[in-house]
Structures are given as structure tokens and as C-alpha cells.
Amino acid sequence: MTASRVTGIGQNPGMASRREGDTWDLASSVGATATMAAAARAIATRSDPARIDDRFAEPLVRAVGVDLLTRLASGETPPGDLVEQVWIDVAKVRTGFYDAFFRESAVPQVVILGAGLDSRAYRLPWPAGTVVYEVDRPEVLEFKTRTLAELGAEPAADRRVVPADLREDWPAALRDAGFDPSRPTAWSAEGLLGYLPPEAQDRLLDVITGLSAEGSRLATENRPNPRPGDEARTKAGLDRISGRWREQRFDTDMAKLRYYGERHDVETYLAARGWVLTASTVRELLAAHGLAPLGDDDLRTGDVRYVSGVLPRR
Ligand code: SAM
């Protein structure tokens, strides 16, 4: 694969914050979404330890140093109206979904794309010999590696970091880290696709497929394309939360971090490339875990599908 850069920003008019080649750390832009996801896991771990156990989430958020997220993660500030309950509940079912996916995968190599503050390489019971590759921006991976080492945490697998931008030639960096495309792989893209432009999502799924030996597995999310009015409602909801956070001196503009508009349906796209998939909606997973049903404002969140599957013999 040759190096290529994203050129699809023009499809997102009004997206002032995202641009070709933009960069971030864990306190800024898209990087802050990784810290927010970890903060939600920390809140969920404290409030519902029977369902989720991410013991590294809170110290990682604390180390990033965004005061509001630290206070929320540590429990000093209750979520109240600063963190929607649905985010906390989704953190529970989402973490459980991906944890189960990896526990059941039983393949020798794992690639966690857009790893952020995911600590699965440290906290899951990997079979001996498993190699876990984590791909994310260099600033993100360097920070996580250093912080977890300072905390005395040790990886439970052969963890290898792949500092790269997923809009560029990341497969070269993955191979340089030792990835072997002739062996089956378990891939995850958790909370990632909406932060990639549509054509970068397609390219990512193509590359994953091209690098997947028979028996490889994949887990990700499939957000249905928006109906009229959906995006305006999503943005208004994110603006509301961003406003409350700004009042707490955390200056972020969540609505500007994602890419909007039509994109290929993930399951249709992958099925056409040979993947055999199953999926559950967020609504189904919440119900299966006995968690509260979604309110009227969150109905589209309930339609998001958690997808996993296998690439059989081609
Ligand atoms: N998967 C993690 C989780 O669920 O906690 C992090 C999710 S966070 C919402 C999105 C992550 O994707 C961030 O860590 C961000 O740095 C990463 N990411 C987004 N776009 C990326 C890109 N173009 N290249 C590398 N990483 C990217």
C-alpha cells in the first residue's frame, strides 16, 4: 500500500476543527475523546464493578491532567448532568462486548486500532505468546506506555506499539513492528470510525481485509446513516455537553471532532469482502445487561450496532 493522505474534508462543510493532517495529544481535539472514553470507564468501574473492571482507566485519566475529567474519573465530582447516564451505560456494554470478543478470539496476534487509553494489553488474560499491537498517534501511545510503566503495570501479552496515523501508511509501521499477515489476527476498531472521514473508513476496512489471514476476526461499530434531522440533534446534544464542560473550564467542542454525512454501511461493506458477521444493537445490549432503556434524546444511540465476525476461507 502506498502512502496516501486524506482529502475528504470538503465533504464536511462546517467542520472547522478537523483538517487533513491534524494532530493531537490526549488533552486536545480527537485525543481528548480517548480520555473521555476512559473517564466513562472509570465512572462505570466504580459504580458497577460487577459489569466492568478497568482498573487503569482512572489513573490514566488522572495522569492526562484535564481537571474536570480527573474529578469525574476519581468520583470527586459526580457525573450529574456533566456526563450523560447513557454514556456510562454504553461504556459498560461496549467494554464488555470488546473484552468478550478478545477473550473468545483465540488467535496469536491482536491489533487494536485507535487504541487510545485502552488497557486490554495489560488487563486481559491473554494466552501465552499472544502479540498485541496498538495503533494510535505517537503522542497517545508514548503517554500511555510511560504512564502505565510509572504505575508499575506490566503488559499481560507481548505488547507492541505502532505509532502511526490511520489516515496514512500505517500498515508499513505495523509490519515494521513485526505483524505477520500470514497468521490469523483479531482486529478491533472501537470508538474510532466516526473520527475518520468516510473514505478513510473504507480504506481502513480494505486494509484490514487485505492483511487478514483465513480465520481472522474483527470487532467494530456500525452507526446507521443519519436520517433527516439526526445530525442536527446529535450536534445539539454534543453542544449542550460541551457548554457544561466549558463552564467547568474544560474547553472542548465535541460536535466538531467527528465526521458527519453518509458513509458506507460497515456490515454491508465487510460482508462484500468476505467477512461473516453478527451484530447486536446498543439497545439490545443494554436490555441484555438489565440496564435502563434509552430516553427519547438517545434513540439513535440505541441503533448503533456492535459487530463482530470472522473471515473464513477465501
Ligand atoms: N479505542 C479507544 C477506546 O475505546 O477507549 C479510544 C477511542 S477514542 C474515541 C478515538 C481514538 O482514535 C483516539 O485515541 C484517537 O487518537 C484515535 N484516532 C482517531 N483518528 C486517528 C487517526 N487518524 N490515526 C490514529 N489514531 C486515531
Side-chain angles (χ1 to χ4, degrees), residues 219-231:
T220 190
E221 291 116 40
N222 187 12
R223 180 175 289 273
N225 272 315
R227 298 172 307 204
D230 279 349
E231 288 187 348

Side-chain angles (χ1 to χ4, degrees), residues 18 24 30-31 33-34 37-38 41 94 113-118 135-137 140 164-167 190-192 195-196:
R18 299 303 311 276
W24 51 82
V30 187
T33 67
R41 288 195 293 273
R94 167 168 144 177
L113 297 163
L117 295 176
D118 178 328
V135 188
D136 207 305
R137 298 267 327 152
V140 171
D165 195 300
L166 291 162
R167 298 164 294 184
E190 177 185 5
L192 170 66
Y195 298 103
L196 297 177

Side-chain angles (χ1 to χ4, degrees), residues 55-136:
R55 56 191 173 283
F56 298 113
E58 196 250 318
L60 281 167
V61 173
R62 183 182 291 282
V64 172
V66 174
D67 178 61
L68 172 63
L69 296 181
T70 299
R71 285 189 280 116
L72 289 165
S74 67
E76 186 189 329
T77 297
D81 63 1
L82 292 168
V83 182
E84 308 270 346
Q85 182 61 38
V86 63
W87 293 11
I88 301 168
D89 287 346
V90 168
K92 294 176 196 172
V93 299
R94 167 168 144 177
T95 303
F97 172 84
Y98 284 95
D99 282 1
F101 166 76
F102 284 122
R103 285 172 188 271
E104 290 157 13
S105 284
V107 293
Q109 62 188 0
V110 164
V111 181
I112 301 178
L113 297 163
L117 295 176
D118 178 328
S119 61
R120 291 191 175 90
Y122 295 77
R123 65 177 181 77
L124 290 189
W126 300 102
T130 307
V131 184
V132 178
Y133 298 92
E134 294 187 15
V135 188
D136 207 305

Side-chain angles (χ1 to χ4, degrees), residues 3-12 18-21 167-168 196-201 203 259:
S4 55
R5 296 177 71 87
V6 174
T7 53
I9 305 295
Q11 296 181 4
N12 292 277
R18 299 303 311 276
R19 58 182 201 291
E20 182 176 346
R167 298 164 294 184
E168 299 178 358
L196 297 177
E199 60 285 347
Q201 169 179 307
R203 220 164 34 236
Y259 288 88

